[in-house]
Amino acid sequence: MKKTDYKKLIDPELKRIARNIPYDRSIIKCANIFQTVSFHLTKTPRGTSHRSITLRGHKGLDLRTEIFEPSDTKEKLPCLIYVHGGAFSYKASAHHKKLACIYALKAGCRVFLPDYHLTPAYPYPAAYDDVLALYRYLMEHTEKFRIDAEKIGIAGDSAGASIAALICNDHERKTLKQPRLQMLVYPLTDMSMQTASMKRFPDTPLWNAKNNKRMWTYYRRDLNAEEAYGASPMHSDLPRTIPDTYIETAEYDCLHDEGISYGKRLRTAGAHVEINETRGTIHGYDLALNTQIAVRNIQKRILFLKKGFS
């Protein structure tokens, strides 16, 4: 079968990042060395400050969490837990650090970016346990971190959005306060992988259905079907109340349809859901951070956060 030339279809601004990237165990190990170095070499922009904390996460293991906040701000602020993407396998990148700073500065909040445990070494529920532990910790220490307890939201992109969605779905079962909002950017929601876009996009740039299948194999590892579906937001039980939700999808992305379907599921359950179907885009398109198409859609995320926190 002839491969589609996506560079002819996507927004011209995105052509320079439209590359097919392989995904396997050897690449993960090498990539994470680069991710770690580039993250620490990336400076926080003027107007934001950066610090870190360590708490107990999955099975009592250390969970380092980076904090980004507006500089010289002593008053209580809203809080955003930002769960970075990366197929449950890659560490936060320099790009995620830049986004965390943008959210902190533009939305006027403290952003907590957890360095959760990764596959293949740590399959589900390690990453979920880590983020849940951070959410519980922040709820219990709002005064310490000068957080407005009524304004704690959770966000994520790709695999990170999957974890964020599960936290929102489980707040009642875990006897935790409902998050104020959830922001899910090109989210991973459905491990059954039966959508039309999953079948249509086996070779899209940056991410595709073939990689997605391998990712779920690493993440679910030895779980049986019933246990594994606990990692899939589309199959998890919804709480009685669901926070206001922003869902953003990319047009040429195997995850496109499951993002839309998940938004519709939340709407049917009574949630207020804003769906932003970006056009001419690929999964991870906002890596081209300074392009008009990325700036325009990041501004929509900021507006959602500001409205939700106001």
Side-chain angles (χ1 to χ4, degrees):
M1 182 182 293
K2 185 179 179 181
K3 288 189 175 182
T4 303
D5 185 357
Y6 289 101
K7 288 189 177 182
K8 294 181 179 179
L9 300 174
I10 63 175
D11 188 290
E13 291 187 298
L14 304 178
K15 289 182 178 180
R16 66 179 178 83
I17 65 166
R19 299 184 298 272
N20 286 86
I21 299 178
Y23 169 73
D24 60 33
R25 290 174 183 267
S26 60
I27 290 170
I28 290 168
K29 184 177 293 186
C30 294
N32 276 334
I33 296 173
F34 172 79
Q35 298 284 75
T36 300
V37 173
S38 63
F39 185 94
H40 289 292
L41 290 178
T42 300
K43 295 181 179 180
T44 55
R46 182 177 298 177
T48 58
S49 61
H50 172 214
R51 55 194 169 113
S52 64
I53 58 171
T54 300
L55 59 139
R56 299 298 178 194
H58 173 67
K59 294 186 176 180
L61 297 172
D62 284 353
L63 171 63
R64 181 183 171 95
T65 298
E66 311 297 329
I67 306 172
F68 302 92
E69 56 196 337
S71 300
D72 302 321
T73 300
K74 302 302 181 183
E75 72 266 23
K76 286 186 178 181
L77 291 177
C79 164
L80 182 69
I81 297 174
Y82 173 34
V83 192
H84 70 83
F88 304 113
S89 303
Y90 295 123
K91 285 183 169 292
S93 66
H95 173 65
H96 294 120
K97 186 174 186 178
K98 292 174 184 176
L99 281 177
C101 291
I102 290 171
Y103 297 152
L105 190 59
K106 300 295 185 181
C109 60
R110 291 192 167 88
V111 177
F112 290 74
L113 180 68
D115 184 18
Y116 56 84
H117 288 83
L118 302 167
T119 64
Y122 293 95
Y124 177 82
Y128 167 83
D129 287 347
D130 283 339
V131 180
L132 183 66
L134 174 60
Y135 185 67
R136 190 184 300 277
Y137 183 79
L138 293 179
M139 283 289 185
E140 294 171 351
H141 295 85
T142 54
E143 293 296 326
K144 175 180 178 180
F145 295 105
R146 302 191 304 278
I147 291 170
D148 186 335
E150 299 301 318
K151 298 180 180 180
I152 300 179
I154 186 163
D157 54 81
S158 192
S162 180
I163 299 170
L166 285 180
I167 299 297
C168 286
N169 289 352
D170 287 350
H171 74 85
E172 285 182 347
R173 188 166 60 86
K174 300 293 184 179
T175 64
L176 289 167
K177 190 179 183 68
Q178 176 187 296
R180 181 66 172 258
L181 54 82
Q182 62 177 329
M183 184 172 77
L184 312 177
V185 177
Y186 33 80
L188 174 78
T189 67
D190 188 354
M191 72 175 303
S192 67
M193 295 183 59
Q194 296 302 309
T195 64
S197 63
M198 191 62 66
K199 297 172 183 177
R200 190 165 66 247
F201 296 133
D203 59 349
T204 40
L206 296 186
W207 193 248
N208 56 53
K210 292 179 181 177
N211 289 344
N212 206 71
K213 183 177 181 180
R214 179 170 290 165
M215 175 205 67
W216 276 119
T217 299
Y218 291 161
Y219 194 53
R220 63 175 292 179
R221 203 151 83 181
D222 299 326
L223 298 178
N224 60 40
E226 183 177 353
E227 291 171 328
Y229 274 123
S232 178
M234 189 66 76
H235 300 92
S236 65
D237 293 334
L238 297 178
R240 288 170 296 176
T241 57
I242 301 168
D244 288 353
T245 303
Y246 171 95
I247 292 178
E248 181 178 304
T249 60
E251 183 174 7
Y252 300 105
D253 180 8
C254 62
L255 302 181
H256 174 273
D257 290 2
E258 63 191 70
I260 300 299
S261 295
Y262 189 65
K264 291 179 178 178
R265 183 186 183 213
L266 296 185
R267 279 179 178 168
T268 300
H272 174 76
V273 182
E274 176 184 344
I275 298 178
N276 176 19
E277 290 191 74
T278 67
R279 300 298 182 186
T281 49
I282 53 178
H283 190 86
Y285 76 93
D286 52 345
L287 281 165
L289 191 60
N290 296 318
T291 58
Q292 291 183 19
I293 193 167
V295 169
R296 185 167 62 247
N297 285 297
I298 290 171
Q299 181 60 27
K300 291 182 179 180
R301 302 176 199 171
I302 298 298
L303 290 174
F304 169 78
L305 293 175
K306 292 175 73 172
K307 182 180 179 181
F309 286 143
S310 65

